[in-house]
Amino acid sequence: DQQVKQNSPSLSVQEGRISILNCDYTNSMFDYFLWYKKYPAEGPTFLISISSIKDKNEDGRFTVFLNKSAKHLSLHIVPSQPGDSAVYFCAARYAGGTSYGKLTFGQGTILTVHP
Amino acid sequence: ETGVTQTPRHLVMGMTNKKSLKCEQHLGHNAMYWYKQSAKKPLELMFVYNFKEQTENNSVPSRFSPECPNSSHLFLHLHTLQPEDSALYLCASSLTSGMVYEQYFGPGTRLTVT
């Protein structure tokens, strides 16, 4: 049972346009959400996060939106740049139990930004 | 060295071999993690250590044996692996206090079991 899902395996966007990556979750006990970016032959790199008490967090070109009622979050990249081409993972932190900092990851979405 | 380092970066081993993966973090974190990433699958959490104590074992087969001698070092000892264990093994670290939950990853070890 996959609790964090990224239903789009890939996304192709023109340079300068907006990239929107989506993520859905099923567990209402998740209280913190993160986005990671991964280049080939490297580990995932933390990008941006949002607490469940907020609905938006912005950092430069990156904005994460959280819709708790829909159990949905999205990452917006504006404007998209060729260097943004990578695999993007969303992750969620479980608030309960003794699982210190345990994160559950989605399958990832491959973003390709064309010049 | 900065961040999270992992050695070796690539490893090929036979099913009867014994090898170890090493992870070191230079971030002052107290928690360390092992993840497995297989092709087209989400990252799978394997083990969690918090202040050297194992707090999570995600039903990992005993042919994978973790060791955490201190908060900065984490090992994954491997023996009698199967070909389906071939994957990218990622180490991560984080703080577990305050409101900071970001995990920082190493570059991974690409393991091939022949």
Side-chain angles (χ1 to χ4, degrees), chain B residues 2 7-9 12 14 16 19 22 33 36 38-39 44 48 50-51 58 63 66 72 83-84 90 94 110:
Chain B
T2 59
T7 55
R9 293 294 307 275
V12 179
T16 58
K19 296 285 184 184
K22 180 183 175 183
Y33 311 80
K36 176 184 177 182
S38 305
E44 299 172 58
V48 181
N50 187 30
F51 290 107
N58 221 17
R63 57 186 185 269
S72 298
E84 59 264 29
L90 290 159
S94 76
R110 175 67 63 186

Side-chain angles (χ1 to χ4, degrees), chain B residues 32-98:
Chain B
M32 297 188 78
Y33 311 80
W34 278 118
Y35 287 89
K36 176 184 177 182
Q37 187 180 25
S38 305
K40 298 184 181 178
K41 283 189 174 182
L43 272 72
E44 299 172 58
L45 180 66
M46 301 175 73
F47 301 103
V48 181
Y49 279 82
N50 187 30
F51 290 107
K52 303 189 302 178
E53 299 300 319
Q54 189 180 121
T55 58
E56 188 94 15
N57 177 337
N58 221 17
S59 304
V60 181
S62 59
R63 57 186 185 269
F64 295 90
S65 175
E67 179 190 359
C68 187
N70 54 61
S71 294
S72 298
H73 294 85
L74 184 64
F75 296 89
L76 188 62
H77 304 299
L78 316 170
H79 74 100
T80 60
L81 294 193
Q82 305 297 311
E84 59 264 29
D85 296 323
S86 299
L88 180 68
Y89 288 85
L90 290 159
C91 172
S93 70
S94 76
L95 292 170
T96 56
S97 59

Side-chain angles (χ1 to χ4, degrees), chain A residues 4-56:
Chain A
V4 178
K5 292 183 182 179
Q6 294 175 254
N7 291 316
S8 298
S10 63
L11 175 67
S12 184
V13 170
Q14 203 69 31
E15 181 178 7
R17 306 294 289 268
I18 184 172
S19 295
I20 300 176
L21 298 117
N22 294 302
C23 181
D24 296 296
Y25 62 96
T26 56
N27 194 332
S28 56
M29 290 295 289
F30 289 142
D31 70 341
Y32 198 79
F33 303 89
L34 307 92
W35 284 95
Y36 283 83
K37 178 169 76 172
K38 185 180 184 301
Y39 293 119
E42 295 183 14
T45 303
F46 169 71
L47 200 54
I48 191 169
S49 61
I50 187 167
S51 166
S52 59
I53 62 173
K54 295 188 174 182
D55 56 17
K56 176 182 174 182

